[in-house]
Amino acid sequence: MEIILQPDATAATFLAARVIAREIRRKPNLVLGLATGRTMEAVYAHLARLHREEGLSFAACRTFNLDEYIGLSPDHPASYRQYMNRHLFSKVNLDPKKTHLPDGAAVDLEAECARYERCIMECGGIDLQLLGIGRAGHIGFNEPMSALRSRTRDKTLTRTTIEQNAAMFGGDANKVPRRAITMGVGTILESKRCLLLATGYEKAGIIAKALEGPITSRVTASALQLHPHCTVIVDNAAAATLEDTDYYRWIFQNEPEWQNF
Ligand code: F6R
């Protein structure tokens, strides 16, 4: 795991966008795993700008989102499909047929989860999975006590997550669906590369637990410590309670891979 500290949220989200852009330029038909949430909005804005100003092409990319609320149809304004349309899909040259999200309105959820896993496999697996972290320590919607080998399935959201996401439902936590389909921790860990991004003081406590604490299903993001190629980008606020920041800065300054960034 490499941990990269950036001065603020703008620098952190821009670096994340440039990592994604570099992977797309290296492999134009990249299979890109996507996340939603407030943190990612700036990343998608940077990617849209790189597309407009530098000709970054998504034409051959395939995308898979981590999760979708159960009970919301793809055209519901608070669905993650609509979030992705608003923030990325409508702003770049992605082929809509190559963008995938679980169908939260599926009647047979088990069949839908199995279909999603199959679809990822048929595309050759995810090359780069973008991840945020919830205040409950989740990646995707893998809430505390999710099995670290779990696959795509339906999950009940914690109260913490429901409150965290209420803003997308007009601030009314009662309107937030109680359940979601999410890629499992095991599914995420099979991605060839993971990129975890966290910004702001409200993430500092959970980031310290996930990165420097023990690997535990109570904080599913801690499972990323097992991943052979995981990059974590945090701003100084989200890094506020990490212990080994001098070491992370030293590594970043001396890794040849990062010299061009
Ligand atoms: C959503 C997802 C979640 C979010 C996390 C952080 O697709 O995967 O794990 O990344 O809840 O959300 P924000 O950025 O809103 O704090």
Side-chain angles (χ1 to χ4, degrees), residues 7 28 34 67 73 85 90 98 106 114-115 127-128 131-132 136 170-171 186 190 195 212 220 242 258 260:
L34 297 171
D67 38 26
S73 63
N85 285 347
S90 63
K98 293 180 182 159
R115 181 198 67 81
D127 291 308
L128 174 65
L131 298 160
E190 275 172 22
L195 177 60
E212 294 179 336
T220 58
L242 285 173
W258 296 105
N260 301 331

Side-chain angles (χ1 to χ4, degrees), residues 35-40 66-67 80 132-134 138-140 164 203:
T36 58
R38 274 155 296 180
T39 315
M40 298 306 155
L66 286 164
D67 38 26
Y80 282 163
I133 182 170
H138 65 211
I139 45 175
Q164 181 192 301
K203 299 285 171 68

Side-chain angles (χ1 to χ4, degrees), residues 46-253:
H46 291 307
L47 286 175
R49 196 172 46 72
L50 291 174
H51 168 68
R52 265 192 331 270
E53 294 175 5
E54 295 180 18
L56 178 68
S57 178
F58 293 77
C61 289
R62 278 98 16 111
T63 68
F64 285 90
N65 267 78
L66 286 164
D67 38 26
E68 180 60 282
Y69 291 113
I70 291 174
L72 299 194
S73 63
D75 56 2
H76 189 288
S79 71
Y80 282 163
R81 165 63 74 178
Q82 288 305 315
Y83 169 105
M84 291 310 303
N85 285 347
R86 264 195 313 279
H87 293 287
L88 187 69
F89 297 165
S90 63
K91 308 251 167 87
V92 299
N93 61 338
L94 262 165
D95 177 351
K97 289 196 291 296
K98 293 180 182 159
T99 65
H100 305 272
L101 282 93
D103 179 4
V107 181
D108 185 341
L109 293 174
E110 210 176 312
E112 172 57 13
C113 295
R115 181 198 67 81
Y116 204 62
E117 287 274 334
R118 240 183 356 261
C119 198
I120 293 172
M121 255 182 343
E122 283 164 9
C123 279
I126 291 168
D127 291 308
L128 174 65
Q129 177 65 58
L130 181 60
L131 298 160
I133 182 170
R135 289 207 294 265
H138 65 211
I139 45 175
F141 273 141
N142 291 288
E143 300 288 40
M145 309 321 290
S146 290
L148 300 186
R149 285 186 169 161
S150 50
R151 313 299 308 184
T152 302
R153 71 218 183 288
D154 54 309
K155 282 295 290 179
T156 297
L157 304 179
T158 59
R159 286 206 178 95
T160 310
T161 299
I162 287 170
E163 277 156 27
Q164 181 192 301
N165 290 0
M168 285 176 256
F169 292 82
D172 186 352
N174 290 320
K175 292 199 177 132
V176 182
R178 298 294 187 255
R179 296 171 65 70
I181 295 179
T182 179
M183 276 186 210
V185 182
T187 319
I188 293 168
L189 291 181
E190 275 172 22
S191 309
K192 293 175 191 83
R193 182 176 186 185
C194 287
L195 177 60
L196 175 70
L197 174 67
T199 58
Y201 286 110
E202 64 169 24
K203 299 285 171 68
I206 199 68
I207 271 291
K209 281 189 186 162
L211 306 187
E212 294 179 336
I215 297 170
T216 167
S217 59
R218 291 186 76 181
V219 179
T220 58
S222 67
L224 293 170
Q225 294 175 32
L226 294 167
H227 195 281
H229 193 181
C230 178
T231 303
V232 182
I233 301 176
V234 283
D235 67 355
N236 282 342
T241 53
L242 285 173
E243 282 179 13
D244 283 333
T245 49
D246 286 348
Y247 173 62
Y248 308 141
R249 284 200 177 88
W250 168 259
I251 294 293
F252 183 62
Q253 281 156 11

